[in-house]
Amino acid sequence: RKISVLTEKTAHVAAQIFDFHPSLIKLNVKAGLSKEDLQILKLSCIKGFLSHASDEFVSYVNAERLLSRRGIQIEVNLNNSTSSKNEILLEVFGSNANEKISVGAVLYDGQLERLCSINDFLFEIEPNGDLIIMQNHDRPGVIGDVGSYLAF
């Protein structure tokens, strides 16, 4: 299902933007899903998260074991919904209270995938291809400098 692919992509993005040692991953899903579907989303989340940071091959079979070995817990919360819009919010927590990131995504009508938030910053992009994610102060010339740097 497309929602499991989107969950994996969302977790892959989240794994690339935190700068602390994660201790807990919370996967919050708002969709009409069964318990079996939720287990697939959980494994997709772990697989996407670990595939960026692990030298080992990560599969649906070994994902939970690899996550446990790293000392990271996962919590999955489902809010059943009959809406045609399925929502995912992935939160990664560190051991300190100020260590947290979040990545949100939406699947419209079971087809249209969108990343829609990072740490409460709202946007809407297709989660395909290579993405550059950066945070900067809104000053003239910053984006131009980034473009010039990338042109080399």
Side-chain angles (χ1 to χ4, degrees), residues 127-139:
N128 296 321
D130 296 324
L131 303 174
I132 296 175
I133 299 171
M134 61 178 261
Q135 182 176 356
N136 67 291
H137 297 287
D138 190 15
R139 290 188 286 222

Side-chain angles (χ1 to χ4, degrees), residues 4-6 15 28 35 41-42 51 56 59 62 64 70 77 79 83-84 90 102 109 113 116-117 122 124 134:
S4 63
V5 173
L6 181 58
N28 302 297
K35 293 287 184 192
L41 290 190
K42 177 182 177 182
S51 65
E56 296 178 72
S59 70
N62 69 2
E64 286 185 282
R70 290 176 177 254
N77 303 304
N79 182 356
S83 171
S84 63
L90 184 72
S102 65
D109 296 321
E113 301 174 326
C116 61
S117 69
L122 302 176
E124 189 173 304
M134 61 178 261

Side-chain angles (χ1 to χ4, degrees), residues 13 72 92 98:
V13 169
I72 304 171
V92 181
N98 61 341

Side-chain angles (χ1 to χ4, degrees), residues 50-131:
L50 291 180
S51 65
H52 173 72
S54 179
D55 293 334
E56 296 178 72
F57 176 73
V58 183
S59 70
Y60 292 108
V61 174
N62 69 2
E64 286 185 282
R65 181 176 45 84
L66 293 176
L67 190 72
S68 177
R69 204 174 352 165
R70 290 176 177 254
I72 304 171
Q73 296 179 322
I74 185 161
E75 180 182 304
V76 181
N77 303 304
L78 174 64
N79 182 356
N80 266 312
S81 170
T82 58
S83 171
S84 63
K85 179 173 81 167
N86 297 323
E87 301 176 44
I88 300 165
L89 179 65
L90 184 72
E91 299 173 296
V92 181
F93 296 89
S95 54
N96 296 333
N98 61 341
E99 295 177 328
K100 176 190 171 194
I101 60 115
S102 65
V103 179
V106 176
L107 181 64
Y108 296 100
D109 296 321
Q111 297 296 318
L112 191 61
E113 301 174 326
R114 293 290 185 257
L115 285 177
C116 61
S117 69
I118 294 178
N119 294 338
D120 300 323
F121 180 81
L122 302 176
F123 55 90
E124 189 173 304
I125 61 169
E126 284 186 56
N128 296 321
D130 296 324
L131 303 174

